Amino acid sequence: MSTSHVIIGDGIAGASAAETIREADPDASVTVITDEGEALYNRILIKEFAKGKLPEAPISIHEPEWYDERDIDLQLNTHVTDIEPVAHEIHTHKGETYEYDKLLIATGGTPAQLPVENSDADGIHHFWTFEDARGIREHAEESDQGIIVGAGLLGIDLAAVCAAQGIDAKYLMRGDRWWRYALSADGAEIIHDALRENGVEPVFDSGVDHFTVDDDGHVSGAVDPNGEAFDGEWAGVAIGLNFNTEFLDGAGIEEDDGIVVDEYMQTNVEDIYAAGDLTQFYDTILNARAQNGAWGSAKEQGSVAGKNMVEDAEAKEFRWVSSYSITHFDFPFLSFGHPARGDDEAEAKYSDSEWRRLAFENGQLIGGVLIGDLSQQSKYKKLIREERQVADQKELLLEKDVDLEEVKANTAPPAE
Ligand SMILES: Cc1cc2nc3c(=O)[nH]c(=O)nc-3n(C[C@H](O)[C@H](O)[C@H](O)COP(=O)(O)OP(=O)(O)OC[C@H]3O[C@@H](n4cnc5c(N)ncnc54)[C@H](O)[C@@H]3O)c2cc1C
């Protein structure tokens, strides 16, 4: 009898698990279920589509034929409503039941709505799916003024859409800078200048108290908590994700702002794995629980889960230094590892458009942000992977050209 693998979600985590499973076990039955109407596409590139810079075609990664050729049963437009771990079954909104030997949950998240008046008005956009990008593009093309909310990595994509579409935009931020969890005032200022140059005005210590709407219920502006009003017939909101786990209610799977898994992507329930953005995984580099919201990390988690589902529950562990780049400006930007956590930090500014910040936890380098010059990234990632105690080497680490051998000569390798 062949083993039956069911994967919920055809994002990069689910699709990469399906591919790994098929390669490792040509006889297995593999089913991928997604509630989207299209097979895997490049979620990173939908921002270029929304900007009007890319047509639809290059964004698709897999056509349905890709699944047919590999004898993978792809179910589109199918929402999983609940799972029964004891019976090893899942149910869909169409009333179908799928039995599994091994189950992967790779359902990612859905953008959170602002808990304010009129936050669901027409013209207020959230950004996660290709369908969202189509709506954003269509509406952006005919808008003159816009409002952006959410001072993080997705919010800045919405700002870039405004810039590319010629929308005069106000970017409302709650604190005194963009991505305050990972950037200091010096680093953020480089981003603020770039936003201004692109026609997007950052507004600090602001936010949204409520949106205003016209007679047709279409957004017409936002009023911030200070009472200041901003006009805009287009608004983009990116204040974080709610993980898609409602269908797990009562299934006994441990959750803690996501699904808790070990380094093998196993949940606490036998034969059920999870991968991608929605996991709280055991990070073997930090030796602590962590979360990543990045394409490369989700892909690797899917592949690790797939391998362990086929071969042995603990055949491969997830060990990964994540990275996330922004390509909207005329200088490069990269965040790596876990830049928004840590108990110690170091930073340096090298010019008006070049800056670095490093984050440390328990003496280890765990992440950072590079603006302007990314050339040192592989050295930093190597130090992270090697779990070296380098927090007392800040001066050497912030040299323009880091001498890795010198850093290493001053530190002991981690204990086995
Ligand atoms: C605009 C944008 C730009 C980004 N830019 C970058 C970038 O530059 N670099 C980077 O590293 N990352 C970027 N990301 C993040 C990256 O795309 C995600 O980290 C990654 O796609 C997560 O993959 P996933 O497979 O875990 O989840 P998802 O891609 O969210 O896939 C989950 C899938 O499961 C489906 N699903 C959910 N619930 C159910 C259910 N009950 N039944 C059936 N199906 C269900 C969902 O519809 C979805 O298709 C960006 C994301 C967006 C939206």
Side-chain angles (χ1 to χ4, degrees), residues 111-116 119-120 126 237 239-240 242:
Q113 231 180 48
L114 271 169
V116 302
S119 65
D120 58 354
H126 298 86
V237 176
I239 56 161
N242 294 321

Side-chain angles (χ1 to χ4, degrees), residues 8-14 33-36 41 43-47 78-81 106-110 127-129 154 157 244 246-247 275-278 292-296 298 323-326:
I8 314 174
D10 189 35
I12 186 60
I33 302 173
T34 172
D35 57 11
E36 289 196 63
Y41 54 84
R43 215 176 276 294
I44 296 181
L45 283 185
I46 59 175
K47 58 191 155 206
T78 307
H79 185 74
V80 173
T81 50
T107 47
T110 300
F127 203 4
W128 196 257
T129 65
L154 269 184
D157 287 346
N244 296 320
E246 327 74 51
F247 64 97
D277 279 8
L278 87 177
N292 281 336
W295 182 267
S323 26
Y324 197 115
S325 60
I326 293 179

Side-chain angles (χ1 to χ4, degrees), residues 235-307:
V237 176
I239 56 161
L241 288 182
N242 294 321
F243 296 115
N244 296 320
T245 56
E246 327 74 51
F247 64 97
L248 298 178
D249 278 358
I253 294 178
E254 187 184 354
E255 292 182 46
D256 179 12
D257 188 26
I259 299 180
V260 177
V261 292
D262 62 13
E263 61 271 45
Y264 307 105
M265 302 293 120
Q266 302 178 103
T267 70
N268 61 316
V269 175
E270 204 174 356
D271 298 327
I272 302 184
Y273 296 70
D277 279 8
L278 87 177
T279 62
Q280 284 278 353
F281 61 93
Y282 185 78
D283 188 317
T284 60
I285 297 175
L286 298 179
N287 296 310
R289 197 185 278 175
Q291 194 151 40
N292 281 336
W295 182 267
S297 169
K299 182 171 190 211
E300 176 68 5
Q301 287 197 7
S303 156
V304 167
K307 193 164 174 63

